[in-house]
Amino acid sequence: MWGDLSIALVCSAISLDCLSKLHHCYLIDLKLYILSADKIDSHVLSSIIDFTIRIDCGGSSNFTNEFNQTWIADQFYTGGIKVQLPDQQKFKFSQEKTLRSFPITGGKKNCYEVGVPNGVYYVRMFFVYDNYDNETHAPSFDVSIEGTVVFSWGSEAWTEDNIKFGAYSDVFTPIEDSVATICFYSIGTDSPLVGALELVQVDPNCYNKVLHENILLVNYGRFTGGSSSFGAGMSKETDITGRAWDTDLDFTQSAANRVVLTTDQGIKNANRAPNYFPMYLYQRAHTLSYEDTLEFLLPIDPKLDYMLWFHFAEIDPKISASRQRVFDIVVSGKIVFHNVDIYKEVGNYAVYDLQFTARNLTNATLSVKLVPHTGAPLISGLENYALLPKEVPTDPIDVKAMRAIKRSLLIPERMGWNGDPCAPQNWDAWEGVTCNHGESKEILILTHLVLSNQGLQGSIDSEITGLKHLLSLNLSNNLIKGGIPEGLGKGLLRVVDLSFNQLSGPIPRSLSSSNLRTVLLNGNRLSGEVSEALYSIGVTGGYVNLSDNDALCGVPSLPACSLLWEGSHMSIGSKVAIAFGVIAGVALTLVAAYIIIKRKNSEDYKFGLPHKLASSGRGTRYNRQKSRPKYEGDSSPYVRNIFNRLGGRDHSI
């Protein structure tokens, strides 16, 4: 039974990988955890699969570490350079010895974009400076995941230990577009950096399903009551969700009388869905040598709310009945759990977890106390997560269009067109892009795109027509080739400036939209008939410039379009017939002229008009020629009215 199940689950996992938006096949660590029937609920079998990928940022080769974790060489980045840290001997793990740096010359915003199955992920990163550039200045930068800023590395974060030895930061986040996007944004002109990146898919119902509510969980402290750190990539005692657990020594105020209890006995209900808290966590506990308050001080950002998870298991063999160890849990001076009695609730050697959300905080330190009633308090572990609201993202249709435009226009790396075009909102949007809130305020939309004088040499992708909220478009003074996509000009667009490029082909009918007030197409290689509707923009208060193009025709100030022009609506047969007719007419004219000349020379007959008729003819001809400039000019109200009455038909004289 279990053998068949394992095959089915592996196949399902591989299909998820195939569905992810990867352009090539990459080495990943795709694990299948098969637990015995007495350790897992039957209804959560699907949660046992996790999709895991670990990237050695700056690394050049794949490797498997002592904990059987697979790490892949650096990839999925949008820019930056590889860096070998100068003093590698002091780093314990291979992934900590290199990093990727993002110099400002490659743009202020750079990202890792990793194709993954949709779901909830544990994301962990390693950061270290170690004066790799001999500048003695640790860089300031922000880090975002899925468009939400999760970490800020500045002078406060770069402690002396963090600079020399580095630090890990982690977050739980939903990923809904099959691409995990982790971006780094330079503060000032500093160069962001990252040493390692891990993504581990976890049960989507973990942590009370809070991640279903557009919330990210940012780790502000996760520790064990044991004597040493443990967890994924840190020790042989692992955590299948990827979590690492620090010791509580940096947080406790009770180190002097600290006592650590340990056991090898199994703990009931450990490793259970949806959180899979590891058994090793509950086999260690922090208590005191006598009855006293056990206090922890947790650094926080008081602007946020925090989810606290308390982990207990009564592993002291001296406790054999209820009411032998009873205590209160006090958070920020308020009792949040009264008369906690682990043995009374679950007995000994069994998991007991409590969860509390702290809101409306005012201090930068969160105080957590275990205040005894009977016996010394005890705790196996504590987690503290900031409840970080997910930032408003850009309209997915706009994102799709902008990524296509990035490819087709060959946007240079220096412009930093990476990640979300508009989010996070406290970062600059992509260079040349202006964003605003949509009507619902729950999405960002692109309203202006200005890329003039950027030396762009690509073409305009048809996906640009997907920018339905765009008000103005300026791609002038570049080297853009190809045609203008049909559909450009529809929607809300009011200004289009494509002047001074190398665009060719006809002007699409969509650029005659009634919303458009300015259309600048001058200085290109456009050809074909100009519609009356486009021309009318210029005679109804707008501005149109079509000068300096190859072969535009059909409106005043431009030549009339030939009937044989390829853009006319005549059939091929009609065009052929007209061509033969013209040739025949020319031939007959030449024959007639030859006959007249022969007769004149023979003086058999002389032909002449009466004097008055000839004079009248000359005068009429002169008057027609004299009035033609008034008819053909484009500044006369009379001409504009005539043009409108003609309805765009060929009206050449």
Side-chain angles (χ1 to χ4, degrees):
M1 172 185 176
W2 286 105
D4 294 340
L5 175 62
S6 66
I7 292 173
L9 292 176
V10 168
C11 291
S12 175
I14 292 173
S15 67
L16 285 174
D17 180 32
C18 295
L19 289 173
S20 66
K21 295 181 178 178
L22 298 176
H23 298 293
H24 306 284
C25 292
Y26 297 98
L27 179 62
I28 62 170
D29 181 15
L30 186 59
K31 294 183 177 178
L32 177 67
Y33 294 96
I34 300 297
L35 305 183
S36 60
D38 63 340
K39 292 185 179 180
I40 182 170
D41 300 327
S42 60
H43 66 281
V44 295
L45 289 176
S46 61
S47 301
I48 298 303
I49 293 178
D50 76 342
F51 179 98
T52 299
I53 185 167
R54 295 183 170 93
I55 302 172
D56 178 18
C57 302
S60 300
S61 58
N62 304 332
F63 66 90
T64 300
N65 65 13
E66 60 186 294
F67 308 116
N68 202 33
Q69 290 181 330
T70 299
W71 288 80
I72 65 173
D74 201 4
Q75 53 192 288
F76 305 120
Y77 48 81
T78 62
I81 58 174
K82 293 181 178 180
V83 174
Q84 297 278 339
L85 292 176
D87 186 8
Q88 296 191 359
Q89 299 303 316
K90 68 182 179 184
F91 296 102
K92 182 177 181 181
F93 303 114
S94 296
Q95 70 272 14
E96 299 174 352
K97 299 178 180 180
T98 60
L99 58 83
R100 175 159 291 274
S101 172
F102 302 101
I104 191 65
T105 52
K108 289 182 70 68
K109 182 179 180 181
N110 278 277
C111 306
Y112 277 81
E113 298 176 343
V114 187
V116 298
N118 288 340
V120 173
Y121 283 80
Y122 171 77
V123 181
R124 180 166 65 177
M125 285 170 267
F126 177 70
F127 301 94
V128 64
Y129 172 55
D130 200 30
N131 197 30
Y132 76 90
D133 56 1
N134 296 315
E135 295 290 337
T136 64
H137 170 69
S140 296
F141 59 93
D142 287 345
V143 183
S144 74
I145 298 178
E146 298 299 285
T148 299
V149 177
V150 292
F151 309 129
S152 291
W153 283 90
S155 56
E156 293 184 8
W158 285 118
T159 64
E160 185 176 350
D161 279 351
N162 288 346
I163 289 175
K164 291 182 178 179
F165 303 105
Y168 286 87
S169 300
D170 61 76
V171 59
F172 287 91
T173 179
I175 294 175
E176 301 170 341
D177 61 354
S178 299
V179 178
T181 304
I182 299 94
C183 295
F184 307 85
Y185 183 80
S186 170
I187 304 299
T189 59
D190 288 356
S191 300
L193 53 81
V194 61
L197 172 61
E198 302 172 75
L199 295 100
V200 180
Q201 190 176 17
V202 299
D203 192 311
N205 295 323
C206 64
Y207 294 101
N208 289 351
K209 301 182 181 180
V210 69
L211 293 156
H212 295 199
E213 303 170 4
N214 287 325
I215 292 291
L216 283 71
L217 295 179
V218 181
N219 177 18
Y220 267 73
R222 182 193 302 112
F223 56 80
T224 169
S227 301
S228 59
S229 301
F230 80 95
M234 301 293 177
S235 69
K236 64 179 182 179
E237 297 83 15
T238 190
D239 182 323
I240 66 173
T241 64
R243 291 168 298 214
W245 300 78
D246 296 325
T247 66
D248 61 6
L249 292 174
D250 291 336
F251 303 97
T252 184
Q253 300 298 299
S254 312
N257 58 339
R258 181 176 188 259
V259 174
V260 175
L261 303 177
T262 65
T263 184
D264 292 328
Q265 187 165 330
I267 307 297
K268 294 188 291 290
N269 297 321
N271 287 322
R272 288 294 183 98
N275 296 310
Y276 297 99
F277 295 126
M279 184 176 295
Y280 190 82
L281 172 66
Y282 300 98
Q283 291 175 326
R284 304 289 184 272
H286 179 168
T287 186
L288 301 175
S289 57
Y290 54 86
E291 186 176 306
D292 196 4
T293 296
L294 178 55
E295 182 178 11
F296 301 97
L297 297 178
L298 310 176
I300 61 168
D301 179 350
K303 297 189 293 294
L304 299 171
D305 297 333
Y306 291 84
M307 174 181 280
L308 294 161
W309 282 76
F310 301 91
H311 303 291
F312 307 98
E314 185 55 79
I315 61 173
D316 188 346
K318 298 177 183 178
I319 303 297
S320 57
S322 60
R323 294 187 294 181
Q324 292 182 337
R325 189 193 309 276
V326 181
F327 55 89
D328 293 339
I329 299 178
V330 180
V331 177
S332 292
K334 298 179 181 179
I335 298 176
V336 297
F337 295 104
H338 186 57
N339 289 335
V340 176
D341 187 336
I342 304 168
Y343 191 95
K344 178 183 177 181
E345 297 296 333
V346 296
N348 56 6
Y349 302 104
V351 168
Y352 184 54
D353 295 328
L354 294 172
Q355 184 269 316
F356 173 75
T357 301
R359 304 182 188 277
N360 303 316
L361 302 171
T362 57
N363 297 321
T365 301
L366 182 65
S367 170
V368 176
K369 295 180 180 180
L370 277 59
V371 181
H373 289 294
T374 304
L378 170 149
I379 188 168
S380 298
L382 175 63
E383 296 176 274
N384 182 33
Y385 295 107
L387 296 167
L388 186 63
K390 187 177 181 181
E391 294 197 30
V392 177
T394 304
D395 186 334
I397 297 176
D398 284 2
V399 174
K400 179 184 177 184
M402 291 301 290
R403 287 176 177 169
I405 293 168
K406 175 185 175 180
R407 291 190 298 269
S408 68
L409 287 180
L410 306 178
I411 298 294
E413 186 179 280
R414 60 176 168 76
M415 295 184 68
W417 274 36
N418 301 305
D420 190 302
C422 303
Q425 294 180 67
N426 61 333
W427 293 5
D428 292 332
W430 285 5
E431 185 173 344
V433 172
T434 301
C435 303
N436 288 284
H437 281 279
E439 292 183 4
S440 67
K441 305 297 182 183
E442 297 179 355
I443 204 162
L444 296 172
I445 56 175
L446 273 78
T447 54
H448 303 273
L449 180 57
V450 179
L451 300 175
S452 57
N453 295 289
Q454 294 292 344
L456 305 179
Q457 300 184 30
S459 60
I460 305 175
D461 193 280
S462 60
E463 288 284 352
I464 199 170
T465 60
L467 299 175
K468 302 299 184 183
H469 307 96
L470 201 63
L471 300 176
S472 65
L473 171 66
N474 185 348
L475 304 179
S476 64
N477 291 283
N478 286 292
L479 301 171
I480 302 171
K481 301 178 178 65
I484 302 174
E486 181 61 54
L488 181 63
K490 294 181 179 179
L492 304 177
L493 202 57
R494 295 181 62 82
V495 176
V496 174
D497 186 355
L498 306 179
S499 60
F500 299 106
N501 279 286
Q502 298 175 13
L503 297 168
S504 58
I507 299 174
R509 295 279 174 176
S510 55
L511 277 179
S512 304
S513 168
S514 58
N515 285 325
L516 285 166
R517 304 311 303 151
T518 300
V519 180
L520 306 179
L521 304 177
N522 50 300
N524 281 287
R525 300 170 181 175
L526 300 170
S527 60
E529 183 180 19
V530 177
S531 70
E532 176 187 350
L534 173 57
Y535 181 73
S536 68
I537 294 173
V539 298
T540 56
Y543 181 56
V544 177
N545 192 338
L546 308 176
S547 62
D548 298 322
N549 276 284
D550 279 358
L552 292 176
C553 62
V555 297
S557 78
L558 294 176
C561 293
S562 166
L563 289 175
L564 300 182
W565 170 65
E566 61 179 8
S568 67
H569 301 290
M570 299 180 66
S571 67
I572 294 177
S574 298
K575 293 179 179 179
V576 171
I578 291 174
F580 275 113
V582 171
I583 294 172
V586 171
L588 289 174
T589 301
L590 291 174
V591 171
Y594 175 76
I595 293 171
I596 291 171
I597 292 171
K598 289 289 289 180
R599 289 183 176 178
K600 182 177 181 181
N601 290 339
S602 64
E603 297 185 350
D604 288 340
Y605 181 77
K606 293 183 179 180
F607 177 79
L609 288 173
H611 175 72
K612 290 184 179 180
L613 182 58
S615 299
S616 175
R618 286 193 298 271
T620 303
R621 181 182 178 191
Y622 172 79
N623 290 333
R624 283 204 305 271
Q625 291 173 340
K626 189 174 181 180
S627 65
R628 186 172 296 175
K630 292 184 179 180
Y631 183 78
E632 294 180 347
D634 60 358
S635 60
S636 167
Y638 169 76
V639 175
R640 295 175 190 167
N641 292 336
I642 289 295
F643 182 86
N644 291 334
R645 285 202 304 272
L646 288 173
R649 295 188 300 274
D650 186 0
H651 55 272
S652 57
I653 299 177

